[in-house]
Amino acid sequence: MPRLAVARMHRSETANEEVHIGNRFLRLAILYALLGVSLGIVMAASHDYTFKPLHVHLNLLGWSSMGLFGLWYRSAPAAGETTLARIHFWLHNIALPIQMVTLAMFVSGNESIEPVLALASIAMGIAFVCFAINLWKHTAHS
């Protein structure tokens, strides 16, 4: 095979890897891990644990859940190519930042933000349902 064709094929595979939904989840998960760990360090250094709920949610919904989603979608590529996976990805990644900002506002004393926090939490729940359905469909015959 000519060298140029091999280079194009490799570049195409690399581009596909970069946009793979599993990789996108993994890349975002590590960013949330860095945020969660940084917040934990700041809280420990200041002895102010006001944002403990935010720290926990960043690590659970950002790092742990998104990391697991990414690994699973990497192991089940067909599941990652579904409309359900795309809905899951976008709903999770739109709801999570809104949920984290409004949670920070809420624990800081802004109780009027609670309806927005509730809506973001419901959207997050729906994203998890999308993942559960997708996983169930793609593991039914395994």
Side-chain angles (χ1 to χ4, degrees):
M1 186 177 286
R3 206 178 267 204
L4 183 59
V6 171
R8 283 185 183 149
M9 188 171 65
H10 176 70
R11 188 174 35 228
S12 175
E13 289 172 3
T14 303
N16 288 340
E17 284 292 308
E18 289 175 4
V19 298
H20 188 280
I21 199 164
N23 288 349
R24 288 190 283 166
F25 267 119
L26 289 169
R27 287 177 176 193
L28 290 167
I30 197 64
L31 295 177
Y32 281 108
L34 293 170
L35 283 171
V37 168
S38 297
L39 180 57
I41 291 168
V42 168
M43 287 189 311
S46 67
H47 301 284
D48 180 358
Y49 297 97
T50 303
F51 292 110
K52 183 178 174 183
L54 184 65
H55 169 72
V56 169
H57 283 81
L58 283 169
N59 285 307
L60 179 61
L61 298 175
W63 167 231
S64 300
S65 295
M66 288 179 67
L68 289 171
F69 299 152
L71 292 173
W72 187 76
Y73 282 124
R74 294 279 303 155
S75 74
E81 295 173 4
T82 64
T83 299
L84 201 53
R86 285 188 292 280
I87 293 169
H88 169 222
F89 178 83
W90 287 109
L91 195 53
H92 191 99
N93 285 290
I94 291 169
L96 185 56
I98 294 169
Q99 188 181 30
M100 295 305 95
V101 169
T102 56
L103 181 58
M105 294 169 70
F106 184 74
V107 299
S108 295
N110 183 348
E111 293 181 7
S112 66
I113 200 68
E114 189 172 19
V116 179
L117 174 57
L119 288 173
S121 298
I122 290 167
M124 182 62 66
I126 294 169
F128 269 87
V129 168
C130 290
F131 177 70
I133 292 168
N134 205 3
L135 183 141
W136 202 263
K137 283 182 174 181
H138 286 87
T139 58
H141 302 290
S142 297

